[in-house]
Amino acid sequence: TQLTQADGAQENFSLDATQQLTYPDGSVRFVDDVVLTVPEQANREHFTGTGTEESSDEAQTSLVVSGDVVLTVADGMVVRTGSAMYESGAGQIIMQRDSASTSLSRAGLEASGRNVVYERNAKAVTLTEAARVRLTGDDTRASVDISAHRAILAQAERYMHFEGGTAIDMDLMAIGADSATMHLGADETSLESLELVQDTIVQSTDPASGLRQMAARETTLVFDGSRSLEQTTLTGDATVELKGKSGGPGSRIGASS
């Protein structure tokens, strides 16, 4: 069974499934081996979604694919979730899973969260709750793990933003802040800088380093191509604390910046 919806000569989406069920109110369900295909247009990317069931309203402007959903976007992102609701007018895909987080992956990136929203026009993903993001490592770059209450992944615009109890673990550093903005390079996973806001702290986990921690209201970290720290700027009640004997607190420097 196949259903195609078009606006004039332009195809909006097509649905394939083993069975189609139509109800008196005009709503439709497709069941078994469901494939939703939304073609590329000037303002949107191509994507496909697979699942076990699809339902839509009479106007077919809101579609819900459910049951072990796999969403594949033209830019290489793959999403695994429990259900995906596509709002054709809003250009949004809203994804959630009852008992687990929705997972996302693409080259160099792994992420998960609850109540995930993909904005097709902006090519951005919002992890509304329980955000977890990992920039994977390789022979030349260390991995970076970020957790926060909420995250916006706007890799096409070369940034990611994290809000609420943000914690970042990376090579020989543990970083904390209320919010953080990560600026990326041309390959969309190159870490160029981190801007930290409110209750920021950078702790060294390198046993060979003489640095214990740095803290300030706002902190900017600049990295080289291997994701190694090159420069730190601390602003507002800035402190730099060195290690003392046995790794405990040592000398401490305080300044406005």
Side-chain angles (χ1 to χ4, degrees):
T1 301
Q2 184 179 63
L3 168 69
T4 300
Q5 193 221 52
D7 183 7
Q10 194 169 53
E11 182 180 314
N12 286 330
F13 67 83
S14 65
L15 273 166
D16 290 273
T18 304
Q19 297 183 67
Q20 176 183 340
L21 306 174
T22 304
Y23 297 88
D25 63 359
S27 61
V28 178
R29 275 179 62 210
F30 287 78
V31 294
D32 299 331
D33 301 323
V34 172
V35 179
L36 168 67
T37 303
V38 180
E40 181 181 5
Q41 291 184 9
N43 62 343
R44 71 185 194 191
E45 289 186 300
H46 167 88
F47 77 87
T48 60
T50 61
T52 58
E53 181 177 320
E54 185 280 336
S55 59
S56 60
D57 57 10
E58 184 176 4
Q60 296 171 357
T61 57
S62 177
L63 312 175
V64 179
V65 180
S66 56
D68 296 324
V69 175
V70 178
L71 184 75
T72 305
V73 184
D75 67 359
M77 182 174 67
V78 177
V79 184
R80 299 182 184 277
T81 188
S83 68
M85 180 173 67
Y86 171 55
E87 298 279 0
S88 58
Q92 286 186 336
I93 307 169
I94 302 171
M95 298 162 282
Q96 54 188 346
R97 185 180 269 172
D98 290 338
S99 58
S101 294
T102 293
S103 65
L104 307 89
S105 63
R106 62 184 298 178
L109 174 73
E110 299 168 358
S112 65
R114 302 288 183 92
N115 300 321
V116 176
V117 180
Y118 174 57
E119 302 279 355
R120 296 186 64 207
N121 294 344
K123 299 181 182 178
V125 176
T126 299
L127 310 174
T128 306
E129 300 175 40
R132 299 286 186 274
V133 176
R134 179 179 177 86
L135 301 181
T136 57
D138 53 33
D139 292 341
T140 61
R141 302 186 298 184
S143 60
V144 182
D145 292 281
I146 312 106
S147 64
H149 176 70
R150 183 175 183 269
I152 299 171
L153 313 183
Q155 288 180 277
E157 297 296 322
R158 299 185 184 178
Y159 80 90
M160 299 182 189
H161 182 70
F162 303 89
E163 297 176 352
T166 304
I168 304 169
D169 289 319
M170 56 188 306
D171 187 34
L172 305 177
M173 282 190 298
I175 301 167
D178 181 68
S179 66
T181 301
M182 179 180 291
H183 298 279
L184 305 169
D187 73 353
E188 300 180 4
T189 58
S190 295
L191 174 57
E192 292 189 341
S193 66
L194 266 173
E195 295 179 359
L196 312 174
V197 177
Q198 193 170 333
D199 300 327
T200 73
I201 186 167
V202 179
Q203 295 177 311
S204 172
T205 57
D206 181 1
S209 172
L211 177 67
R212 186 169 182 266
Q213 67 178 35
M214 301 178 284
R217 286 199 302 270
E218 297 181 5
T219 300
T220 299
L221 308 173
V222 178
F223 299 88
D224 65 15
S226 64
R227 296 179 183 162
S228 296
L229 182 62
E230 280 193 329
Q231 178 178 298
T232 305
T233 302
L234 308 166
T235 306
D237 297 327
T239 61
V240 177
E241 193 172 283
L242 305 180
K243 289 179 184 175
K245 293 180 179 180
S246 303
S251 300
R252 183 178 181 274
I253 304 167
S256 60
S257 64

